[in-house]
Amino acid sequence: MRLTIERMRTLVLAAGVLLVVALVVFLAIGKWKSPFNRRDLPQRLGLDIQQEANGWTYTHGLRGHTLYKIHASKLVQLKESKHVLLHDVKIELFGEDGSRVDRIEGKEFEYDPEEGTAKATGPVEITLMRPGVAPAIAPKATPGQLVADKTKPLATAAKTASSGEIHVKTVGLAFDQNSGVARTDQQVEFSMTQGAGSAQGASYDSQKGLLTLDQSVELNTQRGGTTVQLHAQHAEFEHDAQLCRLHAATTDYRGAKVTAGDAKILFRSDGSAVRLEATSGFALATATGGHLTAPTGALDFDEHNQPRHGHLEGGVALDSANHSAKGSRQLHGAAPTAELEFTAQGELRRVHLERNVTLDSKETSEAQAGLVRTNRTWRSPLADVDFRKSGKSKVEPATMHGVGGVVVTSESQRGKEAPVPSRLAADDVTGIFGQGSELTAMTGIGHAGMEETTASGSHLTTSGDRLEAHFATGPKSATKSGQDGATQIQSVNVDGHVVLVENPAAKPGEAAAAPMRATAGRAVYEGAGEWLHLTLSPRVEDGGLQLTADKIDVSQDSGDAFGHGNVKASWAESATDKTGRAKQGKPSGSGADGTVGLGGQGPAHAIASEAQLHQVSGEATFRGHARLWQQANSITAPVIVLDRQRQTLVARSTDGAEPVRAVLVSAAGPGKEATNKQATPSVIRMRGSDLKYSDAQRKAVMRSGAAGTVVAETGTATSVSNEVELILLPPGNHAGKDGAAAQVDRLTARGHVTVSSLGRRGTGEQLVYSSESGEYVLTGTAAAPPRMTDPARGTVTGEALIFHSRDDSVSVEGGGRKTTTETTAPR
């Protein structure tokens, strides 16, 4: 709503005009006390009257100055009643310095010298000069008042005199010289250059200086080319106190209306207003549909009738409604008290509201998805609203500042969709308004927080030391934010101790997933796409997963998180499952909590240049020199993808320049005491183009590709093949103390296999290694059986070649027989 104090100021100025008119009229009537207060007037009229052609004239002066002049066409002395009748009377009253002349004219006046009363039995016309105007005919008028145009002195003087005249008409006017009261119960009409008015019944007490307009008080005047209408049931003026009282007063100006049950206006001696006090209900209604109400109010004015300060109390209410073809906006505000401050030009500058301020707005607009509704509510103990100019004599809100704990709630709804709520709170909040009083930005300081429900149903809360939100306004920008015409969040900046918690929406028939929590030194939210950017040591916790990076981007719509630069991630078995429910029983290792590692127990860790976490699918993707490890097992690759729901891991090489590398622990079986070797786990190292691991199957498969063939190295042999499959032992089974190390049970290499061990070299199609027996079994096909070349014994072939790593022997199987060859390879 565009507020304007002109409405209240017009009430004061209109009352001022009425005051000037009424006071001048009755002060002039009060002067009758001088000529009619003489009990010897009939004798003086008989002795001193000078007969003229036009009647009788009596002039009275003091110290050489004419004070008044009475002229009548006929004078009648009534002998029995001793009343004096004057016909066709004209009374002229002059100021002591001759600066003004007032005229009272009537067909017949009756004067009772014994009762001391004078009464006009017929119509009375009074012509009054406004204070400060001296007509050309006035005695001792100053030269400056006589002539404004030297070329036409008489016309200019007449025009000057006419513009300063006030004309009054009434009937049955009576004056009691003993009480000093002039009264009429008939209608009083007055007119002047600025306008005209009337009242039904009036009285003036010259001794008390009290003027009373009994009822039906009306005034029509002009201000800036626009008619001002003042109505009141009753009006009183105290001349000495320069005070005006109006009952049931209403002012209409430019389509706006100001009403007051009772109004009291204090004036200066020059007629300018000092203070307006309204009680028994004060209301302002603007032409644009705005309403301001309060039980009581006061307004102070400067010497130019410009308001300086105002006070409203008892329950201030503000309402406005704007409707257009594009939509509508309704506003309702309430506060127990309000303080108004104005500029030197009388424009509203600030409104200070106290004691539980509320401001509710409702907006509707048409969009492709249907009718868009947005409701917003402001709550604060204190609030200051600053205004700016928005046109001639109009102002609109520029900022709104609340302290002491501010809460702003909002709810938007498109068509028949479910409402989307949001909430912003802080110790200190400032709202910034754009053109048309639309909210464009909001800043919260101290315990700042924001809650919002996204379009996907996820609930998001953000908190920090300082929060700054910008809103998209208008159909175009709102459509860009995906809200089809509703004023929505465009961007939010949160600084200092930022905490973000997102609770994903539950899928049909499923429980909601566990919340995601993020911390940072700074967070920036973009409404387009609903992205949140975290910087300054950001950290994300999603179930058992923890992620840090130089920068983390979180999609509030999908719940996905993206880490950029120096990414570090850790995940471990948590006390709850992915749905947030407490898990039952003792954990059994990797994957028991919905996460995936490398088959072992304890936390898993990853580092990379980039990372991507998908909330719905549970996938975590690491890119750029990625490395993942759990206990002694590790993988390095350009890209590593973890699927925490399926409990799988995929590592792949992107361009072949950097292969996938894996290091896993192999279990050691029982060895011969003669070998003097310890039964301790050994290490298996592999490299290839891609690796796939399933924690449920406890199986890892590495394949060849752009990075070359698969190379697998154990403690005693090296194989080259197209594919290598690893089977891990179950946790706690042959895995060392407490099953702490995830260990390889079996290794299988397939496709163009080449194996090298202790100087021997074998070829075939498949190689199977058992960590428990320490044996390598190399097989081929019927067309291409396995072959082994030994530097000392030559080449050996058969259906299967078995390398015994613990005693360095080789067994050859084939043709229904088994042959064992013992060789000693060069060391």
Side-chain angles (χ1 to χ4, degrees):
M1 179 185 76
R2 294 186 175 182
L3 298 173
T4 168
I5 199 62
E6 287 294 299
R7 317 306 183 193
M8 289 182 284
R9 185 168 177 263
T10 299
L11 170 64
V12 175
L13 296 181
V17 172
L18 182 63
L19 173 67
V20 172
V21 172
L23 288 181
V24 171
V25 171
F26 285 94
L27 286 176
I29 294 173
K31 292 183 180 180
W32 292 6
K33 186 174 181 179
S34 296
F36 289 112
N37 196 28
R38 305 181 64 90
R39 296 186 179 273
D40 59 346
L41 182 59
Q43 291 78 8
R44 286 182 172 273
L45 289 175
L47 296 175
D48 301 334
I49 288 177
Q50 176 184 353
Q51 186 175 4
E52 297 179 354
N54 295 327
W56 302 90
T57 301
Y58 172 73
T59 302
H60 177 72
L62 180 64
R63 292 188 292 273
H65 298 287
T66 300
L67 298 181
Y68 59 86
K69 182 188 294 185
I70 303 176
H71 175 78
S73 62
K74 184 178 180 180
L75 183 149
V76 178
Q77 175 76 51
L78 303 179
K79 294 182 179 181
E80 294 182 0
S81 62
K82 297 183 180 181
H83 289 189
V84 178
L85 298 180
L86 300 176
H87 297 278
D88 299 328
V89 178
K90 180 179 180 180
I91 304 175
E92 295 177 308
L93 304 113
F94 298 92
E96 294 183 358
D97 58 355
S99 61
R100 186 177 74 247
V101 60
D102 301 328
R103 296 189 303 274
I104 303 174
E105 299 175 280
K107 291 295 183 180
E108 184 176 282
F109 284 82
E110 181 178 346
Y111 172 65
D112 185 346
E114 292 184 356
E115 297 293 334
T117 60
K119 182 177 182 180
T121 58
V124 177
E125 295 186 9
I126 306 173
T127 302
L128 307 168
M129 300 304 300
R130 293 176 58 188
V133 178
I137 60 174
K140 297 188 178 180
T142 61
Q145 293 170 312
L146 286 174
V147 180
D149 186 347
K150 295 183 179 180
T151 61
K152 300 178 181 179
L154 295 179
T156 302
K159 182 177 180 180
T160 303
S162 176
S163 63
E165 292 180 349
I166 299 175
H167 301 276
V168 181
K169 294 181 180 181
T170 188
V171 178
L173 183 64
F175 176 72
D176 188 334
Q177 67 179 22
N178 296 319
S179 63
V181 176
R183 182 186 305 275
T184 180
D185 58 2
Q186 301 298 312
Q187 187 175 28
V188 179
E189 298 179 354
F190 50 86
S191 62
M192 53 190 161
T193 304
Q194 292 81 1
S198 64
Q200 186 67 35
S203 64
Y204 176 69
D205 190 330
S206 61
Q207 295 181 0
K208 296 181 179 179
L210 177 63
L211 166 66
T212 301
L213 302 180
D214 293 337
Q215 57 185 353
S216 302
V217 181
E218 295 185 4
L219 172 65
N220 294 323
T221 185
Q222 295 289 318
R223 183 165 186 231
T226 304
T227 301
V228 179
Q229 295 179 330
L230 173 65
H231 305 271
Q233 291 184 4
H234 184 79
E236 295 180 359
F237 300 89
E238 294 183 19
H239 175 255
D240 295 339
Q242 295 290 298
L243 186 64
C244 169
R245 292 187 178 91
L246 300 174
H247 176 66
T250 301
T251 300
D252 294 303
Y253 177 60
R254 291 181 177 175
K257 179 179 290 187
V258 179
T259 61
D262 290 288
K264 183 168 65 175
I265 307 172
L266 179 64
F267 292 88
R268 297 180 179 86
S269 58
D270 61 358
S272 61
V274 177
R275 182 177 176 83
L276 163 67
E277 295 181 359
T279 57
S280 302
F282 171 81
L284 164 66
T286 69
T288 57
H291 298 271
L292 176 65
T293 60
T296 61
L299 201 60
D300 295 327
F301 296 84
D302 62 14
E303 61 275 9
H304 303 294
N305 281 324
Q306 298 289 5
R308 295 184 303 178
H309 180 266
H311 175 76
L312 303 175
E313 65 178 12
V316 183
L318 173 67
D319 294 276
S320 70
N322 296 322
H323 301 278
S324 66
K326 297 181 180 180
S328 64
R329 180 184 293 114
Q330 296 179 348
L331 178 70
H332 173 74
T337 63
E339 300 291 334
L340 312 178
E341 297 180 10
F342 303 89
T343 65
Q345 292 74 34
E347 297 172 347
L348 185 62
R349 180 180 63 185
R350 174 174 293 176
V351 175
H352 176 72
L353 306 171
E354 292 187 355
R355 294 181 291 176
N356 298 325
V357 182
T358 63
L359 186 65
D360 300 317
S361 66
K362 297 181 179 180
E363 300 179 22
T364 60
S365 60
E366 292 290 344
Q368 295 179 355
L371 189 65
V372 179
R373 303 176 182 89
T374 302
N375 300 333
R376 187 174 288 111
T377 301
W378 171 296
R379 297 283 188 274
S380 65
L382 303 174
D384 289 315
V385 183
D386 289 339
F387 293 83
R388 62 168 174 264
K389 294 188 65 173
S390 62
K392 185 178 181 181
S393 302
K394 294 182 179 180
V395 296
E396 65 180 4
T399 63
M400 185 171 182
H401 180 210
V403 296
V406 183
V407 177
V408 180
T409 58
S410 178
E411 183 179 85
S412 62
Q413 182 180 20
R414 291 186 292 174
K416 297 182 179 180
E417 297 179 3
V420 178
S422 64
R423 181 180 185 271
L424 186 148
D427 296 339
D428 186 306
V429 174
T430 300
I432 301 176
F433 297 90
Q435 187 176 4
S437 303
E438 285 189 286
L439 183 65
T440 60
M442 189 172 291
T443 301
I445 301 175
H447 302 93
M450 183 180 70
E451 297 181 20
E452 185 178 18
T453 300
T454 65
S456 62
S458 298
H459 182 257
L460 177 71
T461 61
T462 306
S463 62
D465 297 337
R466 185 180 187 276
L467 186 150
E468 181 178 343
H470 295 268
F471 300 95
T473 58
K476 292 184 179 180
S477 54
T479 301
K480 292 179 180 179
S481 65
Q483 299 299 330
D484 283 342
T487 301
Q488 293 297 319
I489 296 176
Q490 187 178 53
S491 65
V492 178
N493 296 340
V494 186
D495 293 288
H497 304 93
V498 179
V499 177
L500 166 72
V501 178
E502 180 174 12
N503 291 278
K507 296 181 180 179
E510 298 182 9
M516 181 185 69
R517 186 177 187 272
T519 60
R522 177 177 174 82
V524 177
Y525 169 74
E526 295 178 358
E530 297 183 344
W531 283 101
L532 184 68
H533 308 288
L534 305 175
T535 55
L536 301 180
S537 303
R539 182 185 186 91
V540 173
E541 299 179 5
D542 187 6
L545 175 64
Q546 298 179 354
L547 176 69
T548 64
D550 294 338
K551 178 183 178 183
I552 298 178
D553 299 329
V554 179
S555 172
Q556 292 181 279
D557 183 34
S558 64
D560 297 345
F562 299 81
H564 307 279
N566 196 28
V567 175
K568 298 178 181 179
S570 298
W571 58 96
E573 184 175 6
S574 62
T576 59
D577 58 18
K578 288 291 289 181
T579 66
R581 295 188 295 265
K583 294 184 295 187
Q584 303 296 324
K586 184 177 179 180
S588 58
S590 177
D593 62 340
T595 62
V596 61
L598 290 177
Q601 291 181 311
H605 310 277
I607 58 174
S609 299
E610 306 284 334
Q612 180 177 351
L613 308 180
H614 289 282
Q615 175 74 14
V616 176
S617 66
E619 281 191 356
T621 303
F622 300 90
R623 301 178 185 274
H625 307 292
R627 180 173 181 264
L628 183 148
W629 70 96
Q630 184 181 39
Q631 295 175 312
N633 298 337
S634 67
I635 295 175
T636 59
V639 178
I640 298 177
V641 180
L642 302 177
D643 190 326
R644 291 175 290 158
Q645 292 184 3
R646 298 180 180 179
Q647 301 179 24
T648 61
L649 179 151
V650 175
R652 58 179 179 267
S653 175
T654 55
D655 56 4
E658 181 182 358
V660 177
R661 299 177 184 273
V663 177
L664 298 101
V665 174
S666 172
K672 295 181 179 180
E673 295 181 1
T675 61
N676 199 27
K677 293 184 178 180
Q678 296 180 349
T680 59
S682 61
V683 176
I684 297 177
R685 294 181 173 86
M686 298 188 301
R687 67 176 182 271
S689 292
D690 67 79
L691 172 69
K692 293 182 180 180
Y693 169 73
S694 171
D695 200 77
Q697 298 176 346
R698 300 191 65 79
K699 181 174 69 174
V701 178
M702 180 173 283
R703 293 183 175 89
S704 61
T709 56
V710 179
V711 178
E713 298 178 2
T714 67
T716 56
T718 299
S719 69
V720 178
S721 61
N722 294 338
E723 176 184 292
V724 170
E725 176 184 283
L726 297 178
I727 302 298
L728 302 184
L729 289 168
N733 184 17
H734 303 289
K737 185 179 180 181
D738 299 327
Q743 298 170 341
V744 177
D745 179 31
R746 186 173 69 253
L747 179 152
T748 302
R750 299 185 181 93
H752 300 93
V753 177
T754 299
V755 59
S756 301
S757 175
L758 303 175
R760 307 185 190 98
R761 182 177 184 274
T763 60
E765 286 299 313
Q766 178 174 289
L767 175 68
V768 178
Y769 166 72
S770 173
S771 61
E772 183 174 2
S773 63
E775 294 180 348
Y776 296 84
V777 179
L778 178 64
T779 59
T781 64
R787 298 173 64 86
M788 183 193 72
T789 302
D790 183 275
R793 300 296 180 93
T795 301
V796 179
T797 185
E799 292 182 2
L801 302 180
I802 303 173
F803 295 78
H804 303 279
S805 62
R806 293 192 175 92
D807 59 5
D808 297 331
S809 64
V810 177
S811 297
V812 179
E813 294 182 356
R817 68 183 186 278
K818 181 177 180 181
T819 303
T820 301
T821 303
E822 294 185 0
T823 62
T824 302
R827 297 294 181 180

